[in-house]
Amino acid sequence: MKKTFLILAMAATLVGCASADKSAQTQPKHRNVAVQTYTFNKFTLEETINKIKTLGLDGVECYPKQRLSDKFPGVLTNQYMNAEQKEFMKKLLKDANLKLVSFGVAYANNEKEIEDLCKFLKEFDCKIALTEAPEGLFPVWEKVGAKYGITMAVHHHTAGKNDYWNPDYLLPLIKDYKFVKANPDTGHSARAKVEPISALKKYEGRIASVHFKDQKSFGNIKNEPVVFGTGALNTKGMLEELDRQGYNGFFVIEYEANYMNNLPEVKACVDYLRNN
């Protein structure tokens, strides 16, 4: 009888462990999710944070031309704010339990401007600056980035302004740097007729941050963002590829449509990343 009880107890334990393992395998991976505030470019940063603070985000990516607040007419959210304005921005973020995880697309034309930008980001404990800096400034970014602990992530739009949309062009330019990496944008890749999963594979080990997007159609130069999982791009495949790489950076949502009322779409994108 005692032996039978032990066997039953062991069997129950094994079943319980197997169930726990299966449950763990079906749990979606926690992804670091942020919103690029250009998504709400018709609003001030203060209004934007009030909109997104209930989305359960891990962070926010600000850009330098957004108005800070109606309390500071004409003031933009960048390194040229004075001390009072910076403290106001810090309080906005703190009260919403949001961290500034990246900043850009920012422009700095020489070493002094790069250093000013890095000082600003360090003050906010922000580690990533997005730029489309000319390749001649990459060595300067490497030098200043090492000094402040800031990684410059090369952003790209679609074909036209530069060739950074092409991973075969960009990778040789950044492969030898520690503080200069890539910021692939899956939407702009698709617009430039670059298959996003293929691009992500090429960027392996060189990705600082990702602008994660879905598009209504592939290869259309027009910007046609849609909620993740409802468009032409293989969003699950992109997630699987980044998971394969062990990517643990931020998935930044930049929803460039329906600017006056796109919070429902942004929420749906956040939910998608939380559930996949």
Side-chain angles (χ1 to χ4, degrees):
M1 182 70 177
K2 186 176 181 180
K3 186 176 181 180
T4 302
F5 175 79
L6 287 172
I7 291 172
L8 290 171
M10 290 173 65
T13 301
L14 289 171
V15 170
C17 290
S19 298
D21 289 343
K22 186 176 181 181
S23 175
Q25 290 171 2
T26 57
Q27 284 294 319
K29 174 183 176 180
H30 176 79
R31 304 188 187 281
N32 296 315
V33 180
V35 164
Q36 158 62 251
T37 61
Y38 187 79
T39 302
F40 303 100
N41 64 76
K42 304 299 183 185
F43 303 91
T44 66
L45 179 63
E46 182 177 22
E47 291 168 328
T48 296
I49 288 177
N50 284 333
K51 283 176 176 286
I52 65 175
K53 64 184 180 182
T54 61
L55 295 180
L57 298 167
D58 300 295
V60 64
E61 179 179 279
C62 293
Y63 73 101
K65 292 187 177 181
Q66 186 169 29
R67 292 171 294 125
L68 176 60
S69 168
D70 289 338
K71 297 175 184 177
F72 299 102
V75 174
L76 303 180
T77 305
N78 57 42
Q79 64 269 37
Y80 302 111
M81 293 186 292
N82 63 31
E84 178 189 7
Q85 293 152 4
K86 289 176 186 175
E87 288 304 313
F88 179 82
M89 179 175 168
K90 289 176 187 175
K91 189 172 187 308
L92 284 179
L93 294 168
K94 182 179 179 181
D95 289 350
N97 195 30
L98 289 171
K99 175 177 170 51
L100 182 64
V101 297
S102 45
F103 183 81
V105 176
Y107 297 93
N109 299 311
N110 52 53
E111 185 168 344
K112 181 184 181 306
E113 291 182 6
I114 292 171
E115 185 141 8
D116 288 344
L117 177 57
C118 286
K119 285 179 181 177
F120 166 68
L121 297 183
K122 189 172 180 64
E123 185 176 345
F124 281 79
D125 193 29
C126 177
K127 307 292 187 184
I128 298 175
L130 274 58
T131 87
E132 287 187 89
E135 60 188 81
L137 283 177
F138 288 5
V140 182
W141 268 105
E142 177 74 3
K143 172 187 169 184
V144 179
K147 179 178 177 180
Y148 290 95
I150 308 292
T151 295
M152 188 274 274
V154 182
H155 184 63
H156 66 86
H157 289 86
T158 191
K161 180 178 180 180
N162 52 48
D163 292 320
Y164 294 160
W165 55 271
N166 181 354
D168 293 328
Y169 176 84
L170 180 60
L171 278 168
L173 300 179
I174 65 175
K175 65 182 179 64
D176 296 326
Y177 293 115
K178 181 178 178 181
F179 291 93
V180 178
K181 295 186 178 181
N183 170 238
D185 183 307
T186 62
H188 289 319
S189 291
R191 292 174 62 212
K193 299 182 180 180
V194 174
E195 203 286 309
I197 296 176
S198 173
L200 293 172
K201 286 180 178 178
K202 292 180 179 181
Y203 283 125
E204 182 170 0
R206 302 301 306 164
I207 299 175
S209 176
V210 175
H211 276 194
F212 197 84
K213 299 176 181 176
D214 199 353
Q215 294 285 112
K216 184 177 180 181
S217 56
F218 176 82
N220 188 342
I221 192 65
K222 292 182 179 179
N223 196 16
E224 303 175 300
V226 292
V227 170
F228 300 163
T230 67
L233 307 190
N234 183 358
T235 49
K236 285 193 175 180
M238 291 190 284
L239 292 177
E240 289 171 359
E241 171 57 26
L242 289 165
D243 288 346
R244 182 196 66 79
Q245 295 183 23
Y247 175 73
N248 61 0
F250 276 84
F251 293 80
V252 179
I253 299 168
E254 183 181 34
Y255 200 88
E256 298 172 280
N258 191 23
Y259 287 119
M260 296 305 296
N261 189 34
N262 57 15
L263 189 62
E265 290 100 317
V266 175
K267 183 182 184 306
C269 289
V270 173
D271 291 344
Y272 182 91
L273 291 173
R274 294 296 185 215
N275 294 315
N276 290 277

